[in-house]
Structure formats: C-alpha cells, structure tokens
Amino acid sequence: MTKIPKILLIYTGGTIGMVKDFNTGVLKTFNFDKLLMHIPEINLLNCDIDSISFEEPIDSSNMNVSNWVILAEIIEKNYYNFDGFVILHGSDTMSYTASVISFMFENLSKPIIFTGSQLPIGDLRTDAKENLITSIQIASSQEHGQPVVSEVCLYFEYKLYRANRTTKVNAEHFQAFYSPNFPPLGESGVYLKFSKQLLFKPNIGSELLKVRKTLDNNIAILKIFPGITKEVVAAILSIENLKGVIIETYGSGNAPTEKWFVNLLEQAISKGIYIVNVTQCTSGSVILGHYETSEHLKNIGIINGKDITTESALAKLMYLLGENLPQSAFKAIFEKPLRGEMSEEL
Ligand code: ASP
C-alpha cells in the first residue's frame, strides 16, 4: 500500500490570510485557523496536512533575516516528519524569501513550495484557493515513492517556477511573478504537468541535509542611473562594516567609465568589499567585456552576476558572506550556479 504524503503548511502572513478592516478599509493579517475554514476543499486532497503559523503573521514587507531564520528552523525541525512543505507568504517579498531559503537548504530532497495570492482567501474572486490547493498537490506529487519536486519552488497563477529565478512583476494582475531567465518547471491546467528535464533530481544519495543559518546582511544594492553623483556612490561604499554590494548596471553589465566611478569601485574591492554586477534589465545576462563600458569592471575584479535576479543575488551574497569563505575563493564560488540560480554555460 502506498503511503499518503504528509504536508506541512506554514503560514507566515500575506494577503492570502488577510481580512479587510471595515472601518478603515485596510487589509490586516488574521487568524490562520480561520483561513483554513475558508477552504474545506483541502480536506479532499489525497494527503495529510498539518499546519503551523508564525506567532504573529506578517505582511511580507516586514520580512527580515530573523524571520528567515525562524522559517528555516520550522522546516528543519519538521524535515524528517513530512514529505513536503508549502509556505504561505506575502507576494511582495516572496522571491527574496524563497531565494534565501533555496541557499539555506543544501542537499534538499523534499519539495518546499512558496505561494500566496493577490486577493484574500475570503474574497469572492480570490486567486488564493487555486494557488494553495495546487501548491499542496505539487508538494505531495510522488513517482516511484520519490517526490517529483525536490527543490525550492514558487507556485503562482498556474505556473511552477524555480524560486530563485523569480521576481514579482505585477502589483495587480493574478500573474504576479515571472522567471525571466529560466522556463517554468511546471504548469497547471486540466492536468498538472511538470517539465521533468528541468527539475532537480531528488538527492537520495548519502549527502545529508545541511541548513545554513548564518546570513550576513552587511550589504547594499546600488542601482546606477545617468547622472549618478560621486557623493552617492562614495556614501554607499563607505558604509561601516559593508561587506558586499550588488550593483545594478545597464544592459549586459555596462556602467560609466568615468575615472571617479571606477576608482571608487576599485578602492572598495581592494578593501575587501565584494561587488556583484547584475543587470537592471528584466531579462538577459551580464557579459563582462562585451562592451568597452564593462571591460573596466572586469579588470578591477568585479563579480559577474551573469543572469541572476537581484533578489537571488542578494540571497546568495548574504549566504556566502555568512560562510566566511577565503577572499581568494569568493568570486569563483559566487560565479558558479549553486542552486540553479544562474545559467551554467555563461
Ligand atoms: N503586502 C502583501 C504582502 O506581501 C501583499 C501580498 O501578500 O500579496 O505581504
């Protein structure tokens, strides 16, 4: 007899579980048990579902490093008692949290599926039910006794994505997420279909799960723009204890060639600050040295973020800084895909 999969539902907060305060019209988080009452359909699913909620569910704008560690600890504590995990999270920062969790969990062999919704679950036109029900089905999908998905994913509006490839692109459409540089891992229609050739194979070897909980958030994001001043760049690069900067450049990784700009970056790198080049374009990749306007960045030792999203670059930077890697190895490790977050061949 095949075993019924056991799924743990973790509610962190977000619109999915919010209600409208009728006096003010503002959306606020509310009791998780009430949330489940709105979806009796989940009792029809062929799996056992347990649920756990953040003590104080949050709007995901309040997500931070401590909450990421709390979430990781909940999954870690329950890892061997469940076959899969569904995380209910506000959509605003879901791509950040899901990317961070993908780096925190090494040698994963079970599905961790993030989902949420654009409308609260009690709303007549809600997208929450489909997102939640299908996420649970994905987390409980098995083949020959093995999970079909054994990585961190984000499911939203009929599409399953590799979480660390996603970005929130729309504040009002149900299709709120996009994976600009990697195709969806699955799609839900009349049938639930997976792109098996793209999914990670379950880690069923001897490699034990490792949960990396030291994240270093002494970092900054610097988006360049035409007219950016020396004062702005200098102020950011001189922040006390700064260890890493994600610099959002133009097109395929291009930036001003002005001397003051290059000198400031070079000085920061020589002080041991890691600078990662990601593109501000929605899709495509940094190709250092493709234009003259990125050749200088290559020469001063900037890290090539290739086709990584800003969300994932932030997650990877916090994770790798927390690992205390030797300075000589950091750049090469960052430029390699660790959890499928960037393309191999670039
Ligand atoms: N502000 C909400 C949040 O991110 C939006 C949502 O849940 O979609 O928590």
Side-chain angles (χ1 to χ4, degrees):
M1 211 180 76
T2 46
K3 248 177 65 224
I4 290 183
K6 284 183 74 182
I7 304 300
L8 184 62
L9 208 55
I10 306 171
Y11 178 56
T12 66
T15 298
I16 193 162
M18 289 183 179
V19 274
K20 206 174 242 168
D21 180 325
F22 285 104
N23 294 320
T24 61
V26 168
L27 282 173
K28 298 189 307 192
T29 49
F30 89 135
N31 185 298
F32 183 61
D33 299 331
K34 288 202 193 142
L35 167 81
L36 291 182
M37 266 165 39
H38 283 282
I39 355 167
E41 294 93 333
I42 63 171
N43 296 316
L44 301 173
L45 292 168
N46 188 29
C47 54
D48 279 344
I49 302 170
D50 266 4
S51 59
I52 189 166
S53 170
F54 266 25
E55 233 160 87
E56 295 217 8
I58 53 169
D59 184 295
S60 76
S61 306
N62 287 320
M63 250 317 148
N64 55 30
V65 171
S66 321
N67 286 320
W68 285 336
V69 174
I70 292 173
L71 177 58
E73 281 173 347
I74 295 175
I75 302 171
E76 183 184 25
K77 205 166 132 217
N78 292 286
Y79 189 74
Y80 294 102
N81 296 328
F82 289 87
D83 299 295
F85 302 84
V86 173
I87 322 291
L88 298 177
H89 192 288
S91 61
D92 289 347
T93 62
M94 196 188 300
S95 291
Y96 289 92
T97 302
S99 297
V100 166
I101 293 291
S102 80
F103 290 106
M104 291 174 96
F105 283 77
E106 196 176 331
N107 302 328
L108 196 62
S109 58
K110 297 184 180 187
I112 301 179
I113 315 295
F114 279 79
T115 196
S117 65
Q118 293 280 61
L119 284 175
I121 201 129
D123 197 288
L124 265 187
R125 295 176 52 253
T126 189
D127 52 332
K129 283 192 186 185
E130 199 286 319
N131 286 347
L132 175 57
I133 290 170
T134 307
S135 294
I136 297 173
Q137 279 186 318
I138 291 166
S140 51
S141 293
Q142 298 194 343
E143 218 175 59
H144 315 297
Q146 295 298 331
V148 174
V149 176
S150 55
E151 55 182 293
V152 183
C153 291
L154 188 154
Y155 179 79
F156 221 89
E157 190 64 4
Y158 304 111
K159 292 222 167 64
L160 180 71
Y161 304 105
R162 175 159 298 149
N164 57 29
R165 290 294 198 146
T166 61
T167 187
K168 183 171 177 184
V169 287
N170 204 300
E172 54 190 53
H173 289 173
F174 287 144
Q175 190 76 63
F177 288 88
Y178 180 47
S179 168
N181 291 321
F182 200 73
L185 301 175
E187 214 152 331
S188 155
V190 172
Y191 303 104
L192 183 54
K193 287 195 180 149
F194 295 99
S195 296
K196 294 210 177 118
Q197 73 289 359
L198 300 175
L199 286 164
F200 285 146
K201 304 280 164 285
N203 162 46
I204 45 174
S206 53
E207 306 268 45
L208 277 184
L209 176 77
K210 286 191 196 122
V211 187
R212 314 288 194 170
K213 285 183 282 190
T214 316
L215 300 171
D216 191 335
N217 63 348
N218 284 301
I219 68 171
I221 299 178
L222 167 61
K223 181 171 184 160
I224 59 160
F225 55 89
I228 192 167
T229 61
K230 185 176 174 185
E231 288 68 30
V232 166
V233 179
I236 290 179
L237 294 176
S238 58
I239 293 170
E240 219 183 311
N241 289 329
L242 186 73
K243 300 206 182 119
V245 179
I246 293 157
I247 172 162
E248 285 195 349
T249 55
Y250 308 125
S252 50
N254 308 314
T257 48
E258 283 167 271
K259 242 196 156 44
W260 65 262
F261 181 77
V262 185
N263 285 346
L264 281 175
L265 294 187
E266 197 170 14
Q267 279 159 22
I269 293 171
S270 66
K271 276 198 292 183
I273 296 172
Y274 300 112
I275 302 189
V276 182
N277 186 353
V278 303
T279 174
Q280 24 181 286
C281 293
T282 322
S283 24
S285 180
V286 165
I287 310 172
L288 282 182
H290 188 51
Y291 286 92
E292 203 183 11
T293 43
S294 70
E295 185 69 17
H296 56 303
L297 301 179
K298 189 175 174 184
N299 295 338
I300 60 172
I302 208 161
I303 296 171
N304 187 346
K306 302 180 184 176
D307 63 351
I308 200 167
T309 60
T310 297
E311 291 88 332
S312 205
L314 173 137
K316 191 171 186 178
L317 195 52
M318 285 193 192
Y319 156 62
L320 289 179
L321 285 171
E323 290 299 291
N324 270 323
L325 300 167
Q327 198 162 343
S328 55
F330 195 96
K331 181 175 185 298
I333 294 175
F334 196 105
E335 290 179 350
K336 270 203 309 240
L338 302 178
R339 310 278 193 273
E341 74 286 358
M342 53 167 60
S343 301
E344 192 96 45
E345 64 279 4
L346 290 168

